[in-house]
Amino acid sequence: MIQLQALTKRYGSFTAVDALDLDVPAGELFGFLGPNGAGKTTTLRMIAGILRPSSGTVRIGGIDVTTNPTAAKAKLGYIPDRPFIYEKLSGAEFLRFVAGLYSQEGAAVERRMDELLALFDLSEWKHELVESYSHGMRQKLIIASAFLHRPEVIVVDEPMVGLDPKAARILKDLFREYTRRGHTILMSTHTLEIAEDVCDRIAIIQGGRIRASGTVGELMASAAALGQHDLESYFLQLTGERAARELVEVLDA
Ligand code: ATP
């Protein structure tokens, strides 16, 4: 459902995303796991059609995002890592605005809007201006807006950041149920536990390249082959990051 072929993004001489190949089938919840600056957001923005690739292709349901952006974007919901919403709209006005972008209006949209607002404990805030929302409430409103037109694919950047534990739990359950119904979700995170907890498959990305990918079980097997006994050690080894015990040695030196 999401196909990346040799997807590359360069900023001047710096390569942020380096010839990524990836195939995420329908019904899968796929996780991009990587440290700060790995290239996750850049990749997701290219998939969402916000950023133009330097080379390579993105296809959503077989449709090329660069050459046929309107048709590709109609299949897609994108949840950015930083919620930007027009402050002078109420929650309901913002959701109606987003639904309108996908040519959706009327009773069915109003009903879905109310269901999503209730799911995220925002019903009481429906007619309040977004300027009075907290960061987490804005994040929940953005998430609700991505589900409103029931896209085939949802691309979501660091969805759990800023959410309280209850909202994070609801979102994980929503993601699972959505993919169980045959939709596809690609999410990024730097939190290993979140990726392990919710994703069917994971790719560990670093320096703009996929260093390993597979189910948690497959990654554990690869870790064991390298003498690592848990995914955290494997992740740190692949991404060149230091384990806490090494940092303690640095501090003690
Ligand atoms: P984080 O987890 O910190 O959000 P990320 O994996 O999402 O990181 P990106 O935001 O994709 O990483 O950035 C990948 C690399 O590309 C980084 O080294 C970043 O500095 C660089 N980069 C991103 N945007 C630009 C830009 N507009 N101009 C130059 N370099 C950029």
Side-chain angles (χ1 to χ4, degrees):
M1 179 52 72
I2 305 173
Q3 283 175 305
L4 312 183
Q5 276 177 338
L7 186 66
T8 302
K9 183 67 190 179
R10 285 184 216 93
Y11 293 108
S13 60
F14 175 72
T15 304
V17 174
D18 193 2
L20 280 197
D21 290 313
L22 185 68
D23 201 341
V24 183
E28 190 163 81
L29 206 175
F30 193 94
F32 256 172
L33 180 68
N36 293 132
K40 304 181 297 295
T41 297
T42 305
T43 305
L44 298 191
R45 287 169 65 89
M46 288 193 282
I47 295 171
I50 295 167
L51 201 58
R52 209 178 173 84
S54 305
S55 58
T57 55
V58 177
R59 285 196 181 80
I60 305 291
I63 301 171
D64 190 311
V65 172
T66 306
T67 57
N68 202 351
T70 308
K73 286 178 188 176
K75 292 177 175 290
L76 195 100
Y78 174 59
I79 306 173
D81 55 346
R82 290 188 211 111
F84 174 79
I85 311 176
Y86 303 107
E87 302 258 327
K88 296 296 178 190
L89 294 180
S90 69
E93 286 167 340
F94 173 71
L95 292 178
R96 280 190 205 109
F97 167 72
V98 174
L101 294 177
Y102 294 94
S103 308
Q104 298 202 359
E105 57 180 11
V109 166
E110 295 292 321
R111 199 187 59 246
R112 279 214 295 280
M113 198 167 90
D114 286 341
E115 284 166 2
L116 284 162
L117 289 170
L119 183 68
F120 287 111
D121 285 335
L122 289 174
S123 300
E124 283 176 34
W125 295 82
K126 179 177 174 182
H127 300 297
E128 300 296 328
L129 295 186
V130 167
E131 65 185 8
S132 65
Y133 283 33
S134 70
H135 175 84
M137 289 159 67
R138 288 171 195 226
Q139 181 73 357
K140 291 194 285 189
L141 189 65
I142 286 258
I143 292 167
S145 75
F147 282 91
L148 200 54
H149 68 288
R150 300 218 175 120
E152 288 175 48
V153 174
I154 289 193
V155 173
V156 48
D157 201 355
E158 294 289 350
M160 307 301 169
V161 173
L163 296 184
D164 64 33
K166 183 183 172 197
R169 181 78 265 163
I170 289 168
L171 190 59
K172 286 179 193 171
D173 291 345
L174 183 63
F175 281 179
R176 283 228 186 82
E177 184 56 26
Y178 204 64
T179 49
R180 201 184 62 74
R181 293 179 184 202
H183 300 93
T184 309
I185 297 179
L186 174 62
M187 63 175 269
S188 76
T189 178
H190 17 63
T191 313
L192 185 58
E193 292 77 29
I194 292 174
E196 268 186 281
D197 190 19
V198 297
C199 295
D200 297 313
R201 280 197 305 147
I202 299 168
I204 296 176
I205 175 168
Q206 205 264 339
R209 310 199 74 159
I210 291 176
R211 305 290 164 172
S213 67
T215 62
V216 171
E218 288 165 353
L219 291 175
M220 288 291 282
S222 305
L226 290 174
Q228 302 288 3
H229 299 294
D230 59 75
L231 271 189
E232 185 180 10
S233 307
Y234 184 49
F235 174 76
L236 293 173
Q237 182 177 346
L238 286 176
T239 58
E241 292 197 6
R242 288 179 152 180
R245 61 180 178 281
E246 292 177 45
L247 295 179
V248 170
E249 283 164 19
V250 170
L251 292 173
D252 285 345

